Amino acid sequence: MSKASGTVQEAEAALRRRLSAALDPEGPGRPVLLLVEGAAGSGKSRLVERLRAAVPDTARRAGPGEPLPGEGPVLLVVEDVHRAAGDDSEALRALLADPPAHLVCVLSYRPEELAAPGLVLGPDTEFPAALAVVRHVVGPLGVTAVHRMAADALGADRCTAGLAEALHRASGGIAQTVADLLDLLAARAPATRVPRPADVDRLGTPPRLAALVLRRTAAVPQEHRRIVLAAAVLDEPATAGELASVAGLTGRAGHEALLAALRHAALEERGEGRYGFSAPAPAATVRRWMPGPVREELHRRTAHLLARRQPVPWERLAGHRRACGDDRGWLHAVERAARELEDAGAQQHAVRLLEAALATGPVPPHARSRLAMLLARSAVVGLRSDQTLDVLRHIVADTGLPPAVRGEIRLDLGLLQCNQMGQVVEGRAELVRAVDDLAGRPVPLARAMSALAMPYGPDASFAENILWIERAVTVADESGDPVVQAAVAANQLSVLLNSGDPAAWPLIDRLPRDSDLIGCRQQTARGLCNAADATVWLGHYEKSHGLLDEGVDLAARSGAAYAEQTGRGCALVLDWATGHWSGLAERARAFVDEAGDMPYLASDARMVLGLLALARGEWADAADHFTGPGAADLDSGPVPISAAASGALIRLALAHDDIAGAASEAAAAWKRLHTKGIWAWAAELAPWAVEATVRAGAVDTARDMVAEFAAGLEGKDTPSATAALEWTQGVLAEHTGRTAEAAACYERSAAAYTAMPRPYQAALTEVAAARCTLALDGDSGPAAALLAECAAAFDTLGATWDAARTRSELRSHQPAKGPRAPGRPRYGDLLSPREAEVAELAAAGMTNREIAATLHLSPRTVEQHVARAIQKSGARSRQGLEQALRTAAD
């Protein structure tokens, strides 16, 4: 007897070949018995159907109890042979004892329900030598196969890796259970939302599986059934002794009970000397079915069992103590579990455990404050949780709390609000109050002060940030605590590096990457990710790549979930800056979805989406990303993000010829930067703000802005802002009649951007330089060639709008060569170059008036081009142009 090997697909293909060869009338004619073995719901019937469909048409079919047709190849299929009546089993044994040539007999069965284990046709099962016997086991599906099933049922865009893993865990890989869970999920999860792993946990047990589990449990004799109930409460593969101990069975009674449970397939072997259920869902079904007093007793016995293990599984022990009403033991176990999780760097897990404990019921005040401090400490390195925020607010409001305890909780509450919740003003107010509460406690006091030093918020000037970090460094040094010293060092690095202070660079090497303390490594990961973010804004992209790789890796290994996510957001900004735009919008949208309702965390991705949309001419989408629902408020969000968003909004207003709106946005954005005082962050704002201001007629104000920008960069290491300063000076020169000076400024800016590299900004400034050169010398061939190169660069990036603007500029300075034939050029069914250009902008969502302004055409001409593009491309409407153009390109 042989068992199919290799991958599932390879094994199935081998079976099809084996059956086809056996049913070949020209073949040797040796009969074959195929035993298809698998647990209930594993997919045996589907496999048998696929094999039946693959059999040659020359083979005749026979069913159970039917006489075999005459001579020639015959396929006999008997499914669920474990349920066959005695007479049918006898008939099959007789047939297989002397099988005809060219017979293929396929028997499917559940091994756990065979009357005699391992004997398909009962105790008298015997196979003659002339019969080739093949056993194929249909086992549980792997995660990859479950992912395929989920993608087929829900759509690939709605099936994440996490969802597939949750389905696999809940189903144990049983195909029918996966299908039933997917049916429930499709019915309950809104089609507009991507289902989450937590949705699977809320589905419960599918009715088909519940019925099977309860039927098998009920079949176990009453005197032995407690072993099944014990396995359901213990809910893990367990030894026979452990199951008997929880069930309260001693000696031979426990042994007999386990044999009965296995005989009726209520339990199964789960490894060497271990027994239990195949997945969590069957155990949960049995727990719900058993009476409450019995369940409580079994939970109490399980708690006693787990408390004797070394090491003690505190989290599982907490659940069992809670379930049996031992509240004091439950709180003790929760606290021990949370501390172990914190020490292991699993803060996100600790947060969920502590949230549940504090929200479950009345907790004594002394225990409540201890658990709340643990929760707060874990939450600041995890992800957003509104429940944690509510719990901490409620506890802080308790007037009976000692000031030091309140101060520690207030500190972490403030950090949670500033970071995960995006409530910067409220969070900083909590931090200031925490400083007052924590007087005389250097460790938490240094943390509060260094948090107030972080420069991203708009409510404090950079000078104030410097004062706070200097105080924090002093207090941290006095504390002697290595973790708080690492936290303050990470913040000091962020403060100095974001301003472009060269003194920041040596601080990176001093971060305690290899500390034995998990807290030090978490703070180092945060510092590295923040440093990577700062260097992106500065324009040191190679350094940013290195810091990002190191920081995200360390964050993942040390459990600093929030730092890991900020690093991933920074990677999106880095790809945008360095021109790696392929697939960037999709990655950014996925990150926004993952960040959920954490506006600070999602702000990088939203900014990238807005900037990409602007470059492509998707102006409505751009405005929505910058100012729509979910976007960080420009007046309270991170200052560098707000500055970049304002720069894009100013550019959008200028494209619409809304000079007043552009100048108003420029004034508000400039005021925010002036208040903050970090001019490295003006790189994405200054050129557009100065252009809007000077075009509004406020030339003196524009000159003051340029001077303030230049003064703010003196002595700073800011490659991106320095290139932007040259650009900004070029803008001022161009709009005040100094065209040659403007061209020189633009050229220097383009060279600086190219060196970083920042290809998009390099192309924008090269276009500006060429424009000025052509204004001075209309016959400049090199300048016209540069425009053509820039248009091609924009095309490569996917900057549709910029490519169209540049080509329009080029046409105005590059007349057609040689005489053209009279009349309009004929392109037949093909789009003319102008029609293609207009169609691409229309497909991006631009209005006729916007396209006309971009290409210097009349709205009427644009309307005609759009109509011809729709007709020639086969699109049914303006909205269908994008797909039609893509199809034509392919």
Side-chain angles (χ1 to χ4, degrees), residues 199-563:
D199 294 331
V200 177
D201 298 334
R202 287 191 285 267
L203 291 176
T205 307
R208 190 194 321 266
L209 177 61
L212 174 68
V213 170
L214 295 179
R215 183 172 67 248
R216 288 177 169 180
T217 300
V220 177
Q222 181 72 39
E223 65 271 20
H224 299 320
R225 198 173 300 156
R226 283 180 67 87
I227 202 87
V228 181
L229 309 189
V233 169
L234 191 53
D235 198 15
E236 65 173 10
T239 66
E242 289 171 333
L243 290 173
S245 173
V246 172
L249 300 172
T250 58
R252 191 70 184 168
H255 178 75
E256 293 295 335
L258 181 56
L259 286 176
L262 294 170
R263 190 162 48 248
H264 289 88
L267 298 179
E268 61 183 57
E269 292 193 50
R270 301 291 293 158
E272 290 295 328
R274 304 275 169 175
Y275 309 90
F277 292 92
S278 61
T285 298
V286 174
R287 286 197 302 275
R288 284 193 297 271
W289 170 76
M290 69 180 75
V294 173
R295 187 169 53 247
E296 286 184 25
E297 179 191 351
L298 294 174
H299 275 295
R300 187 173 294 106
R301 290 179 180 277
T302 301
H304 289 319
L305 174 71
L306 297 181
R308 294 194 299 271
R309 287 185 180 174
Q310 289 299 325
V312 177
W314 290 107
E315 183 178 0
R316 297 190 64 244
L317 178 58
H320 290 292
R321 283 179 172 173
R322 178 66 178 171
C324 71
D326 179 7
D327 289 346
R328 183 176 178 181
W330 162 61
L331 288 172
H332 173 71
V334 165
E335 186 171 356
R336 289 293 299 269
R339 291 188 186 280
E340 282 191 355
L341 290 167
E342 182 185 31
D343 291 342
Q347 275 84 352
Q348 196 64 27
H349 192 162
V351 165
R352 291 193 293 270
L353 176 65
L354 291 164
E355 278 181 346
L358 288 166
T360 296
V363 178
H366 65 281
R368 189 170 182 79
S369 61
R370 285 203 315 275
L371 294 182
M373 289 174 66
L374 266 173
L375 172 61
R377 205 161 59 224
S378 295
V380 295
V381 296
L383 302 178
R384 173 171 177 150
S385 170
D386 292 333
Q387 185 175 349
T388 291
L389 186 71
D390 291 341
V391 168
L392 297 182
R393 278 175 170 162
H394 180 73
I395 291 173
V396 162
D398 182 359
T399 56
L401 276 181
V405 173
R406 182 186 296 105
E408 284 207 47
I409 298 174
R410 203 187 286 283
L411 161 61
D412 290 324
L413 172 59
L415 291 172
L416 186 67
Q417 288 177 303
C418 285
N419 297 328
Q420 288 89 333
M421 311 304 295
Q423 301 167 357
V424 180
V425 175
E426 299 93 326
R428 287 180 66 85
E430 287 289 358
L431 291 172
V432 170
R433 288 191 283 269
V435 168
D436 294 335
D437 286 340
L438 293 170
R441 303 197 62 203
V443 170
L445 181 60
R447 289 181 62 218
M449 289 176 170
S450 69
L452 286 165
M454 290 301 281
Y456 301 107
D459 60 317
S461 69
F462 182 60
E464 292 176 68
N465 298 140
I466 289 291
L467 289 174
W468 278 118
I469 199 63
E470 288 174 348
R471 292 177 63 188
V473 169
T474 300
V475 175
D477 288 344
E478 292 172 353
S479 76
D481 184 280
V483 176
V484 80
Q485 288 170 349
V488 171
N491 285 14
Q492 183 183 25
L493 172 60
S494 294
V495 173
L496 298 181
L497 197 54
N498 272 290
S499 70
D501 190 333
W505 296 112
L507 299 179
I508 296 175
D509 295 332
R510 298 177 196 166
L511 293 173
R513 296 162 170 79
D514 301 320
S515 171
D516 293 335
L517 299 174
I518 187 72
C520 286
R521 297 198 300 274
Q522 288 176 339
Q523 295 300 338
T524 296
R526 184 177 61 84
L528 291 169
C529 290
N530 286 350
D533 181 72
T535 51
V536 168
W537 292 108
L538 293 178
H540 288 294
Y541 302 124
E542 188 173 347
K543 289 181 179 178
S544 185
H545 271 298
L547 290 166
L548 200 55
D549 290 344
E550 186 181 11
V552 170
D553 177 65
L554 183 57
R557 286 189 287 110
S558 62
Y562 188 76

